Amino acid sequence: MPKLNENYLNLQDSYLFSKINQKVTAYSKEHPDQKIIRLGIGDVTLPLGTHIIDELHSGVDALASTTAFKGYGPEQGYEFLRNSIVTYYSEHGVNITADEVFISDGAKSDTGNITDLFDKDNIVLIPDPVYPVYVDTNLMNNRKIIYIDANAENNFLPLPDSKVHADIIYICSPNNPTGAVYNHEQLQKWVDYALKNQAVILFDAAYESFITDPTLPRSIFEITGARKCAIEFCSLSKTAGFTGTRCGYTIVPKDLVFTASNGTSMSLHTMWNRRQTTKFNGVSYIVQKGAAAVFSPEGMAQCKENLAYYQENARIISSTLSQLGIRSFGGVNSPYIWFECPNGKESWDFFDYLLHNAQIVGTPGAGFGKNGKNFFRLTSFNSHENTLEAMTRFKKIFSSI
């Protein structure tokens, strides 16, 4: 009989969004006539831009031609896409090289797979509340996790504690689930802490395209010293609507060099390249053609139109909560709105109440950690019409909550 990875016994019975889907499916079967408005999972609803679609078609056409056909591509990604990402970063004042960019099927995969590079004895620092993938992937490897409190008192932007040592640090900004965004000064404190502790920051920038405030950093590499202590993950899921198409990228600077137990220098860039070439065959040529179009002037203009649409939905939700006197976070520079459950309700109870009384689906904050117990997350990824209707329903039931 094989010996199993019994660390899986330390995980919750089901992934957060699977549990939500089960509850919604059960309610739908019992009430087939009810219109349910989903503002829970962070999945986009608008179609891809026409320029991106055209380039996806050109990728398909290439596979129908003997001369243009593509088989296995480079595991790191095609150079045309990597160069497009380098240009995109340079437009925001960040200098990276194409061979530091690794194309993937999304940030979720890479934030989990990156743990392959680190021994299980590392101490991991994770904010609470947090995207569940950070926690679960480290529990699977039986790493020690230290949680740092993100709460209303610190605006859900915790800062490092000099008395605490960590080897690996997870930071998401704009944050999922709270929508909070670190400024330059705050991120500098994290970089300084990482350098002092010889730690690595795993920086999730999946929502950077929602930042409209030019004073806020969109990349950890805008911060002095970050190239020596940080890896950045990004995704086209929210930037360009690629949740179903699947494409993201990870930036691993060549400066990330550490000393092994035998005194040998080890490069995280080299290790990640080795890991990818062993375990990953790359993203399809078709998808990468579409992804490169995202970073063209035409593609970026179309993406910004979609982003503005979702940003208006976030404004509608935030405005409604403000009118009702409900304290909320996010909604600006982020697609997520994080708010206190009315009358001190616990988040799963509030989830059930919203579903059964207003047919609105959100995400219980408890699914992101203990500090989310009395908080709730709504997303802006729906139509204007559905968002407005959801907020009308919300106002109608608010007095009876």
Side-chain angles (χ1 to χ4, degrees):
M1 185 175 75
K3 293 182 179 179
L4 305 183
N5 182 353
E6 295 182 6
N7 295 310
Y8 276 68
L9 296 173
N10 298 323
L11 301 175
Q12 296 291 327
D13 290 340
S14 64
Y15 185 54
L16 169 62
F17 296 105
S18 297
K19 183 176 180 179
I20 290 173
N21 189 55
Q22 290 168 6
K23 282 178 169 282
V24 175
T25 299
Y27 180 83
S28 296
K29 287 182 178 179
E30 293 176 5
H31 305 87
D33 57 326
Q34 296 283 5
K35 176 186 176 182
I36 296 174
I37 300 178
R38 298 173 184 264
L39 299 176
I41 193 168
D43 194 1
V44 296
T45 53
L46 295 174
L48 302 180
T50 56
H51 182 63
I52 297 167
I53 291 293
D54 288 344
E55 287 303 300
L56 287 169
H57 280 297
S58 75
V60 172
D61 292 340
L63 300 191
S65 164
T66 302
T67 56
F69 179 79
K70 304 290 183 184
Y72 288 124
E75 296 93 342
Q76 304 85 352
Y78 283 98
E79 196 167 317
F80 63 80
L81 177 53
R82 299 166 90 188
N83 284 333
S84 295
I85 293 168
V86 169
T87 300
Y88 177 71
Y89 270 71
S90 68
E91 291 169 352
H92 295 97
V94 175
N95 294 318
I96 56 173
T97 60
D99 58 356
E100 293 177 321
V101 179
F102 294 82
I103 307 304
S104 72
D105 61 356
K108 178 180 180 179
S109 300
D110 280 3
T111 54
N113 292 332
I114 200 73
T115 60
D116 283 2
L117 307 191
F118 303 102
D119 187 87
K120 69 178 182 64
D121 290 333
N122 284 288
I123 299 173
V124 182
L125 184 64
I126 297 179
D128 179 335
V130 72
Y131 183 41
V133 171
Y134 307 160
V135 175
D136 288 355
T137 52
N138 282 287
L139 288 177
M140 289 172 183
N141 293 302
N142 197 32
R143 289 193 182 88
K144 179 180 179 181
I145 298 175
I146 299 175
Y147 294 97
I148 184 170
D149 286 332
N151 49 47
E153 286 65 41
N154 58 29
N155 292 312
F156 292 96
L157 294 170
L159 295 174
D161 183 345
S162 60
K163 298 186 291 294
V164 175
H165 170 79
D167 304 300
I168 301 169
I169 304 158
Y170 282 83
I171 296 176
C172 180
S173 181
N175 184 266
N176 178 14
T178 69
V181 187
Y182 280 107
N183 61 32
H184 282 84
E185 181 182 2
Q186 291 166 329
L187 281 184
Q188 187 67 65
K189 290 180 179 179
W190 276 112
V191 168
D192 292 344
Y193 170 87
L195 292 171
K196 182 178 180 180
N197 285 270
Q198 293 187 302
V200 175
I201 294 173
L202 303 180
F203 188 80
D204 188 346
Y207 307 98
E208 59 84 22
S209 59
F210 280 86
I211 295 177
T212 55
D213 184 343
T215 69
L216 294 174
R218 299 169 70 121
S219 166
I220 189 68
F221 299 123
E222 295 179 44
I223 309 303
T224 302
R227 285 185 57 87
K228 295 182 179 180
C229 67
I231 295 172
E232 181 160 298
F233 308 88
C234 204
S235 167
L236 298 187
S237 288
K238 308 306 188 293
T239 299
F242 272 48
T243 52
T245 313
R246 307 308 305 145
C247 192
Y249 55 89
T250 294
I251 299 170
V252 187
K254 295 178 182 178
D255 307 52
L256 292 171
V257 178
F258 296 89
T259 304
S261 58
N262 65 359
T264 302
S265 291
M266 296 186 71
S267 161
L268 290 184
H269 179 274
T270 300
M271 292 172 67
W272 183 244
N273 186 64
R274 185 68 173 84
R275 189 266 176 207
Q276 293 298 83
T277 54
T278 301
K279 293 187 175 184
F280 186 56
N281 264 342
V283 176
S284 78
Y285 174 75
I286 298 168
V287 169
Q288 291 192 61
K289 283 288 287 183
V294 170
F295 299 101
S296 68
E298 301 94 330
M300 193 54 61
Q302 292 175 353
C303 288
K304 287 180 178 178
E305 286 183 14
N306 284 3
L307 290 169
Y309 187 94
Y310 296 132
Q311 287 162 340
E312 173 60 14
N313 285 345
R315 188 200 65 76
I316 291 168
I317 296 171
S318 295
S319 176
T320 299
L321 295 174
S322 178
Q323 291 170 26
L324 296 174
I326 299 174
R327 181 164 61 161
S328 66
F329 301 81
V332 180
N333 303 305
S334 168
Y336 297 124
I337 301 87
W338 178 256
F339 64 93
E340 289 181 300
C341 298
N343 298 323
K345 278 185 177 290
E346 292 192 7
S347 60
W348 277 110
D349 292 337
F350 187 62
F351 173 90
D352 291 334
Y353 185 88
L354 267 188
L355 177 60
H356 287 265
N357 293 276
Q359 294 74 54
I360 299 170
V361 177
T363 308
F368 299 102
K370 65 179 180 62
N371 287 340
K373 179 181 177 182
N374 299 108
F375 284 83
F376 206 77
R377 191 193 77 174
L378 294 178
T379 84
S380 60
F381 298 118
N382 212 308
S383 67
H384 287 334
E385 294 74 19
N386 282 343
T387 302
L388 286 166
E389 183 179 344
M391 291 302 97
T392 298
R393 296 181 188 181
F394 195 97
K395 290 178 182 178
K396 186 175 181 180
I397 68 164
F398 179 71
S399 60
S400 59
I401 294 176

